[in-house]
Amino acid sequence: MAKEYAPLQAHPFKPGATFVRPTQQLPERVTLNDAALDVMTDLRHVSVLNVRAKTSMDKANAKMIRYGVRMLLVLDDADTVVGLITATDILGEKPMRFLQDMGGTHADILVRDIMTLQRELEVLKLQDVEKAKVGHIVATLKKAGRQHAIVVDESSDGTQAVCGLFSSTQIARQLGT
């Protein structure tokens, strides 16, 4: 016997509506001996902030400021990660070197002109991070001389997908230093 289902009542969609963004609750305080996952921005739970390689450097900087971050993944038109750009890239020597080499004005600089290319990056594997402590991540960032680390999940065929990020600023905040 077929069951009857009544339709739900429809309501007007009000002006000014926003949308829900995923959030991740990280512990406010951690120690070096806590699980590394306690300080990782988990992209399985929050949306990654990104920028296209063809975006102007100034727009990328404005996006970082607006969202309170210091790094963006750089994507191509196929949503493949082609690199990353940091606040240090934008505010450091790279823009001046680019202008000296290529000419033009500050407004002409695109993300692709100063980003760190994918082939120059090293990543951490999720399976290693899952067994690591916060202290391991701090040591890894120090050894690499970097402010950020990218975490990838690798499938059985070797394909990688970025699934997490570490930020030395975030870790320091959670450590209370």
Side-chain angles (χ1 to χ4, degrees), residues 27-80:
E28 190 172 322
R29 288 281 184 245
V30 295
T31 68
L32 293 174
N33 203 41
D34 285 329
L37 293 176
D38 286 346
V39 296
M40 182 180 88
T41 299
D42 191 335
L43 302 180
R44 298 169 296 180
H45 300 288
V46 295
S47 299
V48 66
L49 290 173
N50 61 72
V51 67
R52 300 285 175 190
K54 298 180 210 173
T55 303
S56 77
M57 177 187 72
D58 292 336
K59 283 186 179 177
N61 190 43
K63 187 172 194 174
M64 284 188 214
I65 291 168
R66 182 170 59 246
Y67 288 101
V69 299
R70 298 185 52 79
M71 185 204 74
L72 299 170
L73 289 181
V74 181
L75 306 180
D76 64 11
D77 291 335
D79 282 347
T80 302

Side-chain angles (χ1 to χ4, degrees), residues 96-109:
M96 291 309 293
R97 281 197 307 249
F98 177 81
L99 291 177
Q100 287 172 349
D101 293 345
M102 304 303 290
T105 67
H106 197 268
D108 297 328
I109 302 173

Side-chain angles (χ1 to χ4, degrees), residues 98-170:
F98 177 81
L99 291 177
Q100 287 172 349
D101 293 345
M102 304 303 290
T105 67
H106 197 268
D108 297 328
I109 302 173
L110 302 179
V111 167
R112 68 178 177 216
D113 299 326
I114 62 166
M115 71 182 193
T116 302
L117 299 172
Q118 169 270 325
R119 67 176 176 260
E120 298 168 353
L121 296 170
E122 294 180 322
V123 296
L124 305 176
K125 289 187 178 182
L126 181 60
Q127 66 188 33
D128 296 332
V129 169
E130 289 173 332
K131 297 178 233 163
K133 303 289 184 190
V134 173
H136 295 116
I137 303 306
V138 171
T140 302
L141 290 169
K142 279 184 183 176
K143 181 182 178 211
R146 304 222 26 117
Q147 298 290 311
H148 300 91
I150 296 172
V151 181
V152 297
D153 194 4
E154 196 167 276
S155 65
S156 58
D157 68 359
T159 305
Q160 294 178 331
V162 176
C163 65
L165 301 168
F166 288 109
S167 160
S168 61
T169 303
Q170 176 68 36

